[in-house]
Every structure is written in C-alpha cells, then in structure tokens.
C-alpha cells in the first residue's frame, strides 16, 4: 500500500527547517534544548497527497526556567500484606509516578514512571533503588508510589499507595532523609489485607499498617537552558524479560534440544522462551523527536484513545499483550549502571546476542528515553495489528521507532563497503574471530548498529535520523551507529536485511513463530499487515469476541494454576512473625518430611496383607 503523506520540506539535521545545528552541549553530553532551532512540521512520505493525521509533530517544548536535578531513593517497606496464598508472603515492587507543575506538550503524553526490581517472598522488602530526575521545577513535585505484588500467572495485586509531596524546593532545600510514609490501603487487594488481618489476630505478626521509607535529595540545578521537560537522567538500567506466556499467545515452540520424557519416552519439545528487552538511556531525547500515532485506519484513533466498545477492547488487549511480552517473573534479569560507558554498551550487545544468528529487532524509543525492543522477522506473526503499538504500550506519543540489527566488523576502525572502504562485515561475509564458530569479541568497536525508521504506526521523520545517530552514540560509547531511511534508502535497507535473514538461515539459529488464527506470515510493514488482514476478511467484529474469550481463558487458567500448586503448610514467613527470616526452616521441614515418609512406608508394609499364591475360592 502506498503511503499518503505530504511531501517533506527541507529540514536541517536537527529536525528544523532552514537553520543550522549548533553544538552547545549540556552537562549530560547532549545538546541543550535551546540550541536546537524550533522544529517545523513535515510529512514523512514522498507523496504530494495529504496523508492521515499523525507522524512528526512540531509542537514545541513549553518554555520554562531550568529546574533542579533530584535523586529519589526507595529504601524499603514494612508490614506489607500477605498477597500470595501459596507462600503467605509477597513479591513486592514499586511503580513510582512523578508529576510536577510543568505542562506537557500534549495531554496524552505518558507520565514519568519508574519500576523497581521485585523482592521475592518478603513482607519487609528492601530495594534501595535510586531514580535521578532532571528539571523538576522550583514549585516542587508529587510522587505517587504504588506497591504491587508480582504475579506472572495473573494480574499483579496492589498492596497500597504512598504519597510524597514537596514544594517549594531550591538548592538549599534540606531534602527528605529515610522518612516513613504510611501505605494507604485504598484500592488495595482486600484478600491480601484479609490474610494479614488473620495473622495479626493469631499473633503471628505485630502490625497491620505498612510504611514505605523514601529519601529525596537535590543534586543541583539542571544544566539546561529550557526547563520545559522533566526527564530521567539516571541511573541507566537494563531489563531482560523471558516470556514463556508468549509461547501460548503465539502458539510457538522451539525444536527439541535432545532428551526424552520420563513419562512417555518420547523426545521432549521445549517451548521457546521469548526474550524482550528494556534499556533506560540517559535523557533527554532530542527535542524534535516527537511523533504521534498515524490514523491510517478508522479504528486506530479509537484504539489509542479507548473510545467506544471496539476501541476499549482493542486497547485493553494490546496493553495485555504488552504485559505478556514484557513479562516480569523470577527469571527477569535487572542490572543497573551509573552512567553510559563501554560496560553499558557491552550490555546492550549482550542483549542482542552480538552478531549471532542474523537477528533483526523491532524497537520503540519512548519520550523518556526508554529503549524497548524484541527480535522480529518475516516469520514473526504479530497477533494484535502493530508491533510498534505493542512495544509502546499503546502510547499516543513516542520519540522514535523502527527496526535495527548488529553487524560485526573485521577491522575495528576501517570504513565499511557502503562507504567505499575495504572492511568485511558479518553478515554477509564469513569472518574469523566470532560467530558462528567462535565466541563474539567483546570490544564494542568491532560492531556497528544499523538502525532505521521503518514504522508504519508512527512514521518517524527521516530528517531526524542524524539526531537519532548522535543520541545513540552518546549512550553507547564505542559502538558505530549507521542510520537508514526506510524510504530514501529502501533498496539498500532491504538488501542489508536480506543479508541478515540469509545469515539466520545459514547459521541455523531460527525461531519458528506461528499464529493462533493466521495461516500466513506477515511483512514488517504495519500498514500492509492491516490491509492484508482486512482484505482477507480476518478482522471482522467477531475478532473482538475472540480477544474477550482469550482474556477470560487466561484468567481461568491462572486460577486453576493457583489451586493446583497450593500445598497447605505453616512453613511460611507470614505466620512466623516479623523477625522470622524467609525460608529459615526449610532444611528442618525437609528432614521432617523425609522422616514422615519413611514412617508412612513402614506402616504400609505392616498393614499390607500377606501375599499368597492360592486363588480365591
């Protein structure tokens, strides 16, 4: 399908028309927002016809005096309710949401949020998670900390909220030091607090009311000329999600790696553990990177705004799919970095498996510089219309989106063939010192990131690719970054992606994705996917009924799983008092169970009737 958009005007590399870029860097190594000329709205296609609403948005960042850089520290919580009936404990984490008097560019801009790691089996968890935020205005802030119990098989139960409010603030502000805030039970899980109330009545725990301990410190004045954006400065972190639930969603399995089933004696099929990734980059994202979803179909606006029955159900289903792909459970890997550096770059290369397997990834860069991506390809069947919509969690506005892949260079600092050099790359060439025969080299200068703007959902402006390149180079030191325009460089981009796919087939590192209700594979273009599905009659109104049935089935299966796994026992933290350590009695309980098992076997032998060869009369 040909894209219908306005023809783009001439835009400077910084996203503005007719004015040169200036190199005025702030404290974080990125250009000041004031050094970038005011952006002008442009189309993102090559057609002269007027296209649908959306894409690049020229709304400027509101002007405001520079704010303050503040460090929030979430230390610990006490006396949380017993959210998990299986362990009579909880797996708590915090979702912190920050709001200030700084007006957003658009009312649909997502709020500034942080999710802490999960602490396992504890009603008195300790996080000590830091969050450094820039440009908080002198009028102060309002911080809402929602505490949840993580439950990968079902929805996360809310354990309560804590509210921290401060203002006005200045460089001489005394701050908040390890202060306790009451956890309010409004909207919290009644079942969880009911269990804790029973524990209090039986004298197993001492208190019903919980507290959250928080510190807040002013680090100084933010080094920006325009304080119109509040953004995450650090620390940098990476989250690797493993989503076995996505195997059920997509019906995907991994070929057997050997081994026989003890029950059937047949080869064991192994469900593929799909990997999704999130990396918090150092903000802010370049000011001109501001893109809205494109209304290329009538129902798209309803889906993003949750208007009407159809829009509400589609939006709800996409949010649910996002939660399944970015699934938090015990296997989720969470790692922190103080600032961008080569270790941070190596972590990114590790998440994308360096240059192994010819992988191609779909990505979204949020307005707060959160970089989300998963592997994709022609064999990847998307279940809910748009990969980028799922990655953005149905966000109306993002910074940028597209696809990327990694290539390894034979010579670290020599030009590649695309630039007239004589440097071989893997793929397409077979070069020694790395995959598929050897482990990949860990030096980032051996690799290049090839990244584009191939996204029909948001249609990022190709004129902003130089800013994208500069932003990623500042966050991934040592890594070479090459940008491609999905339209202007379409032939070159398709050739390079074909080389990636050919390498994937050659190295045999394929993942076969199947679709629950689709029989054919989908292309990487969201618009073509939508057109094909509609033309094939695969998107009728009944599609919503299928989504509702799937949601109901998931909840029913989760309830069955809870009942199946429950084993009554009193070896749980919640019934041992506040000073009892989790799993303290495990060794003693195992010993008692073994003794009980031996006694049971002896009793069965005594009670068993004597064997006889005589047939009954």
């Amino acid at each position: 399908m040909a894209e219908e958009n306005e023809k783009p005007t001439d835009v400077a590399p910084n996203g503005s028309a007719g004015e040169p870029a200036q190199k005025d860097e702030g404290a974080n190594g990125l250009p000041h927002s004031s050094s970038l000329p005011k952006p002008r709205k442009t189309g993102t296609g090559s057609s002269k016809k007027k296209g649908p609403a959306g894409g690049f948005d020229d709304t400027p960042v509101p002007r405001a005096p520079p704010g303050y850089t503040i460090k929030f520290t979430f230390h610990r919580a006490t006396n949380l309710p017993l959210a998990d009936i299986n362990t009579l404990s909880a797996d708590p984490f915090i979702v912190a949401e920050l709001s200030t008097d700084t007006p957003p560019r658009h009312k649909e801009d997502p709020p500034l949020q942080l999710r802490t790691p999960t602490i396992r089996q504890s009603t008195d968890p300790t996080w000590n998670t830091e969050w450094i935020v820039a440009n908080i205005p002198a009028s102060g802030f309002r911080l809402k900390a929602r505490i949840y119990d993580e439950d990968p098989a079902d929805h996360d139960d809310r354990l309560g909220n804590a509210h921290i409010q401060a203002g006005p603030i200045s460089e001489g502000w005394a701050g908040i030091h390890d202060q306790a805030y009451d956890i309010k039970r409004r909207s919290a899980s009644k079942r969880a607090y009911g269990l804790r109330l029973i524990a209090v009545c039986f004298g197993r725990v001492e208190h019903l009311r919980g507290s959250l301990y928080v510190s807040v410190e002013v680090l100084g004045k933010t080094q920006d000329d325009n304080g119109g954006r509040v953004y995450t400065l650090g620390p940098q972190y990476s989250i690797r999600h493993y989503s076995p639930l996505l195997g059920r969603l997509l019906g995907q399995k991994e070929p057997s790696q050997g081994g026989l089933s003890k029950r059937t004696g047949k080869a064991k099929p192994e469900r593929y553990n799909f990997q999704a990734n999130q990396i918090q980059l150092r903000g802010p994202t370049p000011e001109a990177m501001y893109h809205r979803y494109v209304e290329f179909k009538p129902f798209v606006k309803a889906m993003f705004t949750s208007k009407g029955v159809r829009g509400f159900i589609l939006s709800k289903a996409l949010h649910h799919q996002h939660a399944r792909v970015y699934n938090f459970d015990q296997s989720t890997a969470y790692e922190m970095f103080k600032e961008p550096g080569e270790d941070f770059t190596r972590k990114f290369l590790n998440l994308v498996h360096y240059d192994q397997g010819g992988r191609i990834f779909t990505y979204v860069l949020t307005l707060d510089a959160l970089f989300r991506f998963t592997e994709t390809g022609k064999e990847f069947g998307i279940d809910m219309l748009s990969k980028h919509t799922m990655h953005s969690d149905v966000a109306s506005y993002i910074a940028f989106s597209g696809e990327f892949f990694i290539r390894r260079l034979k010579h670290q600092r020599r030009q590649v063939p695309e630039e007239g050099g004589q440097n071989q790359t893997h793929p397409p060439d077979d070069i020694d010192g790395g995959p598929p025969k050897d482990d990949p080299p860990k030096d980032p200068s051996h690799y290049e990131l090839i990244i584009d703007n191939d996204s029909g959902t948001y249609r990022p402006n190709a004129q902003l690719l130089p800013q994208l390149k500069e932003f990623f180079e500042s966050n991934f030191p040592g890594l070479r970054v090459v940008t491609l325009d999905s339209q202007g460089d379409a032939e070159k981009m398709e050739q390079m992606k074909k080389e990636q796919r050919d390498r994937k087939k050659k190295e045999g590192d394929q993942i076969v994705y199947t679709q629950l209700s689709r029989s054919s594979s989908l292309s990487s273009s969201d618009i073509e996917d939508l057109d094909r599905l509609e033309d094939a009659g695969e998107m009728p109104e009944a599609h919503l009924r299928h989504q509702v049935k799937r949601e109901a089935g998931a909840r029913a299966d989760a309830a069955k799983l809870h009942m199946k796994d429950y084993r009554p026992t009193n070896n749980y933290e919640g019934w041992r008092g506040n000073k009892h350590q989790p799993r303290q009695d495990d060794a003693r309980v195992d010993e008692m169970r073994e003794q009980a098992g031996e006694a049971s076997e002896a009793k069965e032998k005594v009670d068993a009737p004597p064997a006889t060869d005589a047939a009954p009369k």
Side-chain angles (χ1 to χ4, degrees):
M1 172 183 173
E3 296 183 2
E4 298 180 349
N5 290 301
E6 297 176 357
K7 186 175 181 179
T9 59
D10 293 333
V11 183
N14 59 8
S16 306
E19 295 185 42
Q22 300 178 19
K23 282 287 183 178
D24 183 13
E25 295 185 348
N28 57 0
L30 295 174
H32 285 308
S33 58
S34 62
S35 69
L36 300 175
K38 185 179 295 185
R40 286 179 53 187
K41 190 162 186 172
T42 68
T44 53
S46 57
S47 173
K48 294 183 179 180
K49 297 180 181 179
K50 182 176 177 60
F56 175 68
D57 193 327
D58 65 348
T59 304
V61 173
R63 296 295 303 180
Y68 297 93
T69 300
I70 291 183
K71 179 172 72 174
F72 300 91
T73 305
F74 302 94
H75 294 292
R76 63 193 182 280
T78 58
N79 302 322
L80 293 180
L82 313 177
D84 193 344
I85 195 173
N86 293 329
T87 61
L88 293 178
S89 183
D91 298 323
F93 65 92
I94 300 172
V95 175
E97 184 172 307
L98 183 68
S99 57
T100 68
D101 294 335
T102 303
R105 273 202 266 194
H106 193 278
K107 62 181 180 180
E108 294 180 0
D109 285 358
L112 210 63
Q113 288 187 333
L114 172 77
R115 188 202 192 276
T116 69
T118 302
I119 305 300
R120 304 291 169 189
Q121 295 192 19
S122 176
T123 55
D124 298 297
T126 298
W127 292 282
N128 286 328
T129 298
E130 296 179 351
W131 187 22
I132 302 175
V133 182
N135 267 336
I136 293 181
S139 58
F141 62 86
R142 297 171 297 280
L143 183 67
K144 184 174 184 179
R146 299 183 180 94
I147 305 176
Y148 292 90
D149 169 65
E150 183 183 291
D151 191 349
D154 200 356
H155 69 280
D156 299 326
D157 291 326
R158 188 183 295 192
L159 305 183
N161 305 327
H163 298 264
I164 300 96
Q165 187 166 347
I169 60 175
S170 64
E171 290 187 84
W173 184 54
I176 299 172
H177 304 285
D178 202 6
Q179 184 170 327
Y181 292 87
D182 289 340
I183 298 175
K184 303 189 182 301
R185 299 190 292 274
R186 186 177 180 181
S187 302
S189 169
K190 295 179 175 58
R191 175 178 58 84
Y193 276 95
L195 287 172
R196 184 157 190 102
L197 179 60
I198 295 172
V200 171
C201 293
F202 280 91
R204 297 294 186 176
V205 295
E206 300 173 5
H207 302 287
L208 184 62
R209 184 178 295 277
S211 299
L212 176 66
Y213 291 80
V214 177
S215 293
V216 184
E217 177 186 0
V218 173
L219 301 182
K221 199 82 169 178
T222 302
Q223 299 301 308
D224 287 345
D225 293 331
N226 182 10
R229 280 195 295 172
V230 182
Y231 57 89
T232 297
L233 191 60
Q236 276 53 65
Y237 60 81
S238 70
I239 308 176
R240 179 181 300 191
H241 306 262
Y242 296 101
S243 305
L245 287 176
L246 191 62
R248 172 186 165 188
L249 186 68
L250 298 179
Q252 65 188 37
K253 286 189 176 181
E254 185 180 31
S256 173
Q257 301 297 320
L260 301 177
S261 170
K262 294 182 179 179
R263 184 173 62 85
T264 64
K266 298 180 180 179
K268 293 190 298 184
E270 297 181 4
R271 186 171 297 277
Y272 179 69
N273 210 353
F274 187 81
Q275 178 184 327
N277 309 278
Q278 298 188 81
I279 298 181
Q280 178 63 59
L281 303 180
R282 179 181 287 267
T285 56
E287 178 181 330
M289 287 188 186
Y290 194 57
H291 295 88
R292 180 181 179 268
Y293 65 88
V294 179
E295 298 177 32
F296 46 79
K297 292 293 176 183
F299 62 86
V300 171
K301 183 176 182 179
M303 180 176 68
F304 275 89
T305 58
S306 297
K307 295 294 179 63
V309 175
R310 187 180 191 187
F312 174 79
I313 295 178
L314 282 174
S315 180
K316 190 76 173 177
L318 276 164
H319 283 301
H320 191 67
Q321 188 185 25
H322 174 88
R324 287 195 172 191
V325 172
Y326 292 95
N327 179 60
F328 284 86
D329 59 17
Q330 294 189 16
S331 65
T332 303
Y334 198 115
E335 190 169 350
M336 305 291 294
F337 298 83
K338 290 185 177 181
E339 58 185 12
E342 287 202 359
D343 287 342
F344 190 55
T345 306
R346 278 190 285 270
K347 184 61 184 179
F348 166 65
L349 290 171
N350 179 265
L351 291 177
V352 297
H353 308 282
Y354 292 88
D355 59 323
Q356 295 175 342
R359 294 173 169 88
I360 300 175
F361 298 86
T362 298
Y363 77 90
V364 158
L365 180 65
T366 72
L367 294 178
D368 194 37
L370 185 60
F371 185 38
R372 296 190 183 117
F373 56 92
T374 62
E375 186 177 351
T376 189
K378 283 193 172 181
E379 66 274 16
F380 184 89
I382 58 173
D383 183 67
M384 283 301 301
L385 312 181
S386 165
K387 298 181 288 293
H388 292 106
T389 306
M390 181 278 297
H391 285 295
S392 71
D393 200 14
V394 205
S396 295
Y397 284 88
I398 64 165
F400 224 77
S401 58
E403 295 183 345
F404 74 86
F405 53 88
I406 297 294
R407 296 199 308 180
R408 178 163 52 95
L409 306 174
K410 183 173 183 180
H411 304 285
Q412 293 172 266
R413 294 171 180 85
R414 188 181 297 179
Q415 286 186 323
V416 294
E418 288 79 13
E419 298 177 351
Q422 301 296 320
N423 200 355
Q424 289 181 296
T425 64
H426 174 272
D429 303 316
D430 288 318
I431 56 178
D432 55 8
K437 296 180 180 180
D438 303 314
D439 292 334
K442 300 301 187 289
D443 188 341
S445 61
H446 274 289
Y447 300 91
E448 62 178 359
L449 168 65
I450 313 294
I451 190 165
D452 64 32
N453 61 333
D454 186 15
S455 170
T457 304
Y458 295 98
R459 294 184 185 172
N461 194 326
Q463 303 296 333
L464 301 178
L465 285 170
Q467 287 194 60
L468 184 72
K469 171 185 172 70
E470 183 180 2
F471 180 70
F472 275 103
E473 285 179 339
S474 67
N475 273 278
F476 297 130
L479 181 65
R480 176 192 178 95
V481 180
V482 177
T483 56
L484 295 175
D485 176 11
S486 61
Q487 294 183 38
D489 300 318
E491 184 176 345
K492 178 180 179 181
M493 184 182 75
E494 182 54 37
Q495 175 61 30
M496 297 179 77
K497 288 184 178 179
K498 180 181 181 299
E499 293 170 352
Q500 291 290 121
R501 291 190 287 269
D502 291 344
R503 174 58 57 176
K504 189 171 188 177
K505 293 178 182 179
K506 185 175 181 179
E507 293 189 3
D509 193 10
Q510 294 190 79
I511 303 164
V512 179
Y513 297 84
T514 60
Q515 184 68 24
L516 291 176
S517 58
R518 314 279 187 253
S519 58
S520 60
S521 62
L522 302 177
S523 70
S524 61
S525 170
D526 301 326
I527 302 173
E528 291 178 1
D529 294 340
L530 288 166
D531 289 339
R532 186 186 59 75
L533 293 177
E534 286 192 343
D535 292 341
E538 296 186 22
M539 285 181 58
E541 290 292 332
H543 180 72
L544 304 181
R545 175 171 54 83
H546 296 158
Q547 294 299 328
V548 173
K549 289 176 66 177
R550 182 175 300 169
E551 294 292 326
R555 291 184 177 275
D557 290 347
K560 292 177 183 178
L561 181 63
H562 278 302
M563 295 301 296
K564 181 179 179 181
D565 291 344
Y566 178 68
R567 296 291 185 273
T569 176
N570 65 349
N571 184 40
Y572 291 133
E573 173 197 358
W575 301 104
R576 294 288 185 170
N578 293 340
K579 297 182 180 179
H580 186 270
Q581 295 299 317
R583 315 196 72 83
Q584 178 176 318
D585 300 330
D586 281 6
R588 176 58 181 161
V589 170
D590 290 341
E591 181 182 348
M592 293 174 64
R593 284 177 175 169
E594 290 179 3
Q595 294 175 356
E598 293 173 359
S600 177
E601 292 177 2
K603 186 176 184 302
E604 289 177 358
K605 291 180 180 179
V606 171
D607 294 342
T612 175
D613 296 333
K617 295 181 180 179

